[in-house]
Amino acid sequence: MTAPEFRLIGHPVGHSISSQIHQRLFQLSHTNGNYQLMDVCPDELEATVEKLRNLSGFNVTIPFKQKIIPFLDEMDKRAARYGAVNTIKCENGRLTGYNTDADGFLHALTSAGIRLKGNVLICGAGGAARMMACEALERECSLTVATRTIGSAQIFADDLKKSYPDADLSACALVYASGSFDLILNATPCGMYPDVEGCPIPRQVARSAKAVFDAVYNPNPTMLLKKSAAAGAKTQGGLTMLVWQAAAAHEIWYDAKFRDDDILRICIEMEQILKNEFAQ
Ligand code: NAP
């Protein structure tokens, strides 16, 4: 039997460890799937999607999580809420879009014993921030959104207000973030290799948080996580989210099921691969 074919499309995808993660997930579920990375220029998206229709499924990453939507035949309710898709299931040439980043994010918090509740600060106003904000507001958290300039945080907060009119929501610039938070969520690339000294918020705010999640997975821990862990916060990095969002895609594609300890083992292996590759 020919192996089911899967792809990741993005631009750039050169440093992604996704193919290693997916190959390990295929091994765990005794499936002979084939997962390849495809670097696709933004003006080639439509032609690429036509070629991918006859595969079993594919993932999309930056910059296509929103741009893919017009090419889909159907969209899962949660992906529609976030306005972003990262996983596509192909069936008889029809494409259905899902968002498994939320599965990854929620599993990552749970596995670190972090609860999504209380007074939450989200850094960033892109696709990942929107997913985190929706999940926080679904749980009635008080939310502060912070971006490099207050304008984009305000636009983001105003947009969220349309879906969550009763939410306790405020906006500020990252440099002026202040106070202490039950949970800080970083959904910006600040602190990502090679910017390893970067921290998106003032360090005293990082030090006063009870818990911190950073979507950045290289390095692990980031500067933000180091500062907050040193002051006693519970912390979690983005690698667990990355592995769990991939596992959730396999659940959608062919009903795979994974055990927490197997996923944890893959996280440890991937951390080692990153350490070797980037010699941290
Ligand atoms: P995105 O849509 O491009 O949004 C990025 C956000 O970060 C924007 O609000 C942008 O604001 C801000 N930003 C960019 N550079 C910054 C900097 N140096 N300092 C502060 N803010 C900055 O990207 P995304 O999809 O939401 O992803 C955000 C981050 O999460 C990325 O690092 C991505 O790799 C990570 N992520 C991780 C996972 C995982 O599984 N671990 C999954 C998804 C995303 P401006 O408008 O000011 O540029």
Side-chain angles (χ1 to χ4, degrees):
M1 204 174 108
T2 54
E5 293 284 337
F6 301 89
R7 297 287 181 272
L8 167 68
I9 62 168
H11 184 70
V13 290
H15 280 300
S16 173
I17 55 167
S18 292
S19 58
Q20 286 103 313
I21 295 172
H22 285 279
Q23 293 307 340
R24 288 290 289 112
L25 293 168
F26 286 130
Q27 275 172 10
L28 268 182
S29 48
H30 307 289
T31 301
N32 65 339
N34 181 30
Y35 190 96
Q36 304 280 340
L37 309 185
M38 278 178 82
D39 200 316
V40 173
C41 290
D43 60 358
E44 292 167 354
L45 179 63
E46 186 168 5
T48 305
V49 171
E50 285 317 305
K51 286 185 202 148
L52 299 181
R53 270 184 195 278
N54 295 317
L55 304 188
S56 297
F58 59 99
N59 288 127
V60 297
T61 188
I62 292 173
F64 300 131
K65 287 185 181 182
Q66 284 92 22
K67 292 191 174 84
I68 190 74
I69 292 173
F71 304 108
L72 302 175
D73 298 293
E74 249 179 275
M75 207 151 106
D76 166 70
K77 221 168 49 198
R78 226 168 42 165
R81 185 195 300 151
Y82 310 143
V85 163
N86 77 327
T87 297
I88 289 117
K89 183 171 181 168
C90 315
E91 283 174 304
N92 305 319
R94 282 180 63 77
L95 307 180
T96 307
Y98 298 85
N99 188 309
T100 66
D101 281 337
D103 300 282
F105 167 63
L106 295 171
H107 269 290
L109 293 187
T110 305
S111 66
I114 297 173
R115 296 187 66 190
L116 184 50
K117 66 182 286 233
N119 190 13
V120 177
L121 171 67
I122 296 191
C123 308
R130 185 173 173 88
M131 174 278 289
M132 291 177 192
C134 292
E135 291 300 324
L137 293 173
E138 290 289 319
R139 290 162 179 76
E140 299 182 355
C141 297
S142 299
L143 198 62
T144 303
V145 181
T147 51
R148 286 187 280 198
T149 54
I150 189 171
S152 48
Q154 195 60 61
I155 292 168
F156 184 76
D158 290 345
D159 193 48
L160 286 168
K161 270 273 182 196
K162 291 179 198 156
S163 307
Y164 301 92
D166 300 327
D168 178 7
L169 249 169
S170 55
C172 69
L174 283 164
V175 283
Y176 296 122
S178 62
S180 62
F181 292 90
D182 294 308
L183 177 59
I184 295 175
L185 304 169
N186 180 34
T188 79
C190 183
M192 182 164 73
Y193 183 88
D195 172 31
V196 295
E197 297 296 317
C199 183
I201 47 172
R203 292 177 185 205
Q204 71 275 14
V205 181
R207 287 193 198 102
S208 63
K210 292 191 183 129
V212 181
F213 171 77
D214 198 332
V216 171
Y217 59 85
N218 184 21
N220 186 33
T222 56
M223 184 56 73
L224 170 63
L225 295 184
K226 281 185 198 167
K227 295 288 167 205
S228 45
K234 286 183 182 175
T235 58
Q236 177 66 288
L239 190 56
T240 314
M241 174 175 168
L242 187 72
V243 176
W244 268 115
Q245 64 77 30
H250 287 238
E251 292 176 3
I252 289 167
W253 287 331
Y254 60 98
D255 288 331
K257 292 278 171 278
F258 299 99
R259 289 176 11 190
D260 288 10
D261 55 340
D262 285 330
I263 297 296
L264 180 63
R265 201 168 319 118
I266 298 181
C267 292
I268 294 166
E269 288 170 22
M270 294 304 137
E271 194 165 349
Q272 200 51 53
I273 288 175
L274 284 171
K275 284 214 163 90
N276 294 344
E277 193 167 332
F278 294 89
Q280 288 158 22

